[in-house]
Amino acid sequence: MDLSRIVSVFFVVALASCASNGPSNLSSSQRSQIAQIDLALKLVSEHQFPEAEAIIQPLIHSKNFGRLPSAEQYRALMTAAKLAFTLKEPKLEYESRVRLLVLPESTGSDRMSRLNAANRLNDTAENLASLTDLAQKNPEQLDHMNYRFIFRVLNDSKKQLPHGAALPLMQALYAAHWKVEWGLEPSGIWQDYALLLLEQHRLSEAIDVSSHVTDEYGLISMRADRRFDAITVANPAQFDVDAAIKKNFEHFQSVAERTPKSLTPKVIVMDGLLEDQHYGAALAAADGLVTEIRSHADPKQWYDDFDERYVWILDTRSRLLRRLGRWDEGVDQLAAASHVPDKDGKNVSQVINLGELYCDLADPKNGLDTLVRLGSDISAYGRMQEAAVRLDAAIQLGDAEQTEKWLGFIKEHRLDAALTYEDALLRMNDAETAAEWLIERLEDKDLRSAALLSIQQYAVPRETARQAELRKRRREMMTRADVQAEIQRVGRIESYKIEALGQ
């Protein structure tokens, strides 16, 4: 079957149907332009894509193009956009998709196509503009999107664009009552939104938005940050962390029971038990789930998210075994998990986690040997975790050259994983620079909440000697007068019964 022929025929038929009925008062110049559109479509049907583009591009940029009937403009711009996509010219495609949205014939699907084109362009500002336009004018399209993409756009905007650039998108998402899977509120987004509202002295709106922050770590972060004091004082019950933990746990227990073909809610329940130090119950749940999974001849056909979540069940089981003091079993389980391919047919996270565990156990050679299995397609955050393992191994092996190399890398990319840089400095026993980095993050209005979250007092699980030493160095760094002064200026430290996020 010739797929390209089917696509081009569909393309031509669809655009031909958009043509205007040709009012009799068209000028000869306009009739000539319409004939050019028709010729371009004919060339498309013959798979002569470069020749078709050579006709359509000058036409849509011609002086009198805007005088054509809107239906003909739409047809021409859509032709140009699809040709640019076919010929892998993202800038030309995006330009045409933006232009056609001002025409009355444009639809919500066209806004989605603009967003896809912006993503191919790999332009953070245009991604944000496109997603904002979609959320404002066609919010129903949000239900068909992967929530992780929305998170990525917001995260990239926070890192790369001026402070507050994403406020219109947050407003649109909130107005659309947008949630992620299983009725879960995007707490981190609402926390950022509430903060931007506070900066504009819109307290009542900020209080309303904050009522949708339900994640316990989001609530801890807001309690710790003095910028949110007006909100936390106005509604103290909303910021009862123990109540939130209980409510979230019960919610996901219920979701897990209602969705037998989804592993994610079950993993969240296990993680909740782990964070609350119910290690025995969590391990029993993990063992039961692994047994259930293996009872299916083909679990990929039974569970909707098997490729994405199975490996994390094994990862969590390894952490639970270690917390119960069963270190050898924990290592063996994580080693097995590191050989399980993820949804993309590879494994990055567990390979890095295993390398880190070996280093924590003072076995740097095995830590480095593990990383040999890493591929090159790793996220910026993942690359920082790999670098942290390589740095720790180099320190333990006394390799000054590699130590300098990987510390330099981590410093250069510190905004990709701020806490990883702090850990690296503490491993180097450089408390001075670590304190300066923490103070810098506390002073930065975009990094402050995460920094405050990381320094709260949490339950401490069973640790290796190296993990305990790192914690000791951090505790000593935290007692410095300059660090304490900055913490008191911008926030506070409180104690919680749960483990630290991502412990």
Side-chain angles (χ1 to χ4, degrees):
M1 180 181 294
D2 189 343
L3 182 59
S4 64
R5 176 170 295 278
I6 291 174
V7 171
S8 63
V9 169
F10 176 78
F11 172 19
V12 172
V13 172
L15 289 176
S17 69
C18 295
S20 64
N21 292 326
S24 57
N25 59 351
L26 288 175
S27 68
S28 58
S29 174
Q30 289 173 323
R31 292 181 185 279
S32 174
Q33 288 178 311
I34 293 171
Q36 286 181 291
I37 300 172
D38 291 337
L39 175 58
L41 285 168
K42 180 176 182 295
L43 291 170
V44 168
S45 71
E46 296 169 353
H47 297 177
Q48 299 184 54
F49 302 128
E51 293 80 1
E53 187 176 61
I55 292 173
I56 207 68
Q57 279 294 328
L59 172 63
I60 64 173
H61 289 98
S62 63
K63 181 179 179 181
N64 296 320
F65 178 71
R67 296 182 180 178
L68 279 174
S70 63
E72 294 295 347
Q73 292 182 53
Y74 180 87
R75 196 162 66 111
L77 288 167
M78 182 64 80
T79 300
K82 293 193 173 186
L83 279 167
F85 170 76
T86 301
L87 296 171
K88 294 180 170 48
E89 299 166 333
K91 288 185 178 180
L92 290 179
E93 180 197 1
Y94 184 71
E95 175 194 78
S96 295
R97 293 201 182 279
V98 170
R99 288 177 63 189
L100 65 81
L101 285 177
V102 304
L103 299 172
E105 290 79 9
S106 64
T107 67
S109 294
D110 290 326
R111 287 191 173 82
M112 183 67 81
S113 295
R114 174 199 175 179
L115 178 57
N116 290 332
N119 192 44
R120 287 189 285 274
L121 197 59
N122 198 27
D123 186 308
T124 298
E126 297 301 343
N127 253 337
L128 178 62
S130 301
L131 182 54
T132 301
D133 183 53
L134 180 78
Q136 289 172 337
K137 296 172 182 174
N138 295 98
E140 72 283 353
Q141 294 282 346
L142 296 171
D143 294 335
H144 307 297
M145 296 182 63
N146 187 325
Y147 68 88
R148 291 185 181 87
F149 174 77
I150 298 176
F151 284 162
R152 180 169 67 80
V153 171
L154 286 164
N155 187 53
D156 289 348
S157 300
K158 189 174 183 178
K159 288 182 178 179
Q160 301 171 26
L161 301 180
H163 178 72
L167 179 60
L169 174 57
M170 294 177 185
Q171 289 174 324
L173 292 172
Y174 190 72
H177 307 288
W178 180 68
K179 296 183 180 181
V180 296
E181 292 176 299
W182 306 293
L184 186 65
E185 295 279 5
S187 292
I189 294 175
W190 302 151
Q191 180 181 343
D192 289 344
Y193 182 25
L195 184 56
L196 292 174
L197 291 171
L198 285 173
E199 291 175 359
Q200 297 184 356
H201 308 291
R202 296 158 63 180
L203 177 58
S204 61
E205 294 174 75
I207 291 173
D208 180 66
V209 170
S210 71
S211 69
H212 292 267
V213 177
T214 57
D215 176 73
E216 55 264 34
Y217 292 103
L219 296 175
I220 291 172
S221 175
M222 294 176 76
R223 286 174 61 107
D225 192 333
R226 291 189 187 280
R227 292 175 295 180
F228 292 104
D229 282 357
I231 294 178
T232 58
V233 169
N235 189 10
Q238 167 66 23
F239 294 88
D240 184 331
V241 174
D242 290 338
I245 292 171
K246 183 175 183 293
K247 183 176 181 180
N248 289 335
F249 183 77
E250 291 174 348
H251 171 74
F252 276 103
Q253 272 189 319
S254 175
V255 172
E257 291 170 359
R258 298 195 312 267
T259 56
K261 299 194 71 173
S262 293
L263 291 173
T264 300
K266 299 174 178 63
V267 173
I268 293 174
V269 168
M270 285 191 304
D271 285 342
L273 289 168
L274 182 152
E275 289 165 1
D276 217 18
Q277 301 117 72
H278 297 302
Y279 303 138
L283 182 59
D287 289 345
L289 186 53
V290 170
T291 299
E292 175 190 314
I293 290 169
R294 290 174 178 171
S295 71
H296 297 287
D298 187 355
K300 291 186 179 185
Q301 296 299 315
W302 178 257
Y303 297 104
D304 299 329
D305 50 358
F306 178 84
D307 286 337
E308 181 179 2
R309 286 298 173 186
Y310 176 61
V311 70
W312 287 103
I313 296 170
L314 303 181
D315 189 293
T316 298
R317 188 172 184 277
S318 170
R319 288 192 291 152
L320 289 165
L321 288 166
R322 287 177 267 151
R323 278 157 173 76
L324 291 168
R326 296 159 63 178
W327 289 97
D328 290 344
E329 292 175 81
V331 171
D332 290 344
Q333 177 65 96
L334 187 54
S338 72
H339 289 279
V340 176
D342 62 16
K343 62 184 177 63
D344 297 319
K346 55 188 178 182
N347 190 306
V348 171
S349 296
Q350 281 66 45
V351 170
I352 293 175
N353 289 351
L354 181 60
E356 179 184 14
L357 178 56
Y358 279 129
C359 285
D360 285 339
L361 291 166
D363 187 359
K365 186 177 184 305
N366 264 329
L368 290 176
D369 289 347
T370 298
L371 297 183
V372 171
R373 292 191 281 119
L374 271 180
S376 58
D377 186 16
I378 307 175
S379 69
Y381 179 82
R383 189 63 73 189
M384 281 287 281
Q385 305 320 301
E386 176 199 356
V389 174
R390 294 190 183 280
L391 173 65
D392 193 9
I395 293 170
Q396 294 187 55
L397 293 169
D399 189 330
E401 181 181 347
Q402 288 296 303
T403 296
E404 182 180 2
K405 171 184 175 179
W406 291 108
L407 181 61
F409 178 92
I410 293 171
K411 180 180 180 180
E412 180 182 355
H413 300 277
R414 61 191 178 276
L415 290 180
D416 291 328
L419 190 57
T420 301
Y421 181 44
E422 181 182 302
D423 285 350
L425 293 168
L426 292 173
R427 291 189 195 283
M428 295 292 296
N429 214 10
D430 186 356
E432 181 74 28
T433 308
E436 291 173 358
W437 175 232
L438 175 57
I439 290 170
E440 181 181 337
R441 286 150 56 210
L442 291 170
E443 290 174 342
D444 188 303
K445 56 189 174 184
D446 288 329
L447 300 178
R448 183 180 304 161
S449 289
L452 286 167
L453 178 64
S454 73
I455 61 176
Q456 300 304 298
Q457 294 179 352
Y458 299 101
V460 180
R462 190 178 265 107
E463 297 178 306
T464 68
R466 289 190 61 76
Q467 289 170 332
E469 175 62 23
L470 182 64
R471 186 180 299 277
K472 175 176 174 288
R473 292 179 184 181
R474 177 171 286 109
R475 186 167 59 247
E476 291 172 349
M477 182 264 290
M478 292 281 296
T479 63
R480 291 170 53 106
D482 53 351
V483 171
Q484 284 295 311
E486 186 61 27
I487 292 172
Q488 291 304 313
R489 186 181 72 84
V490 301
R492 60 184 59 84
I493 295 179
E494 297 178 313
S495 297
Y496 298 95
K497 299 176 183 178
I498 57 174
E499 292 188 11
L501 179 64
Q503 180 72 47

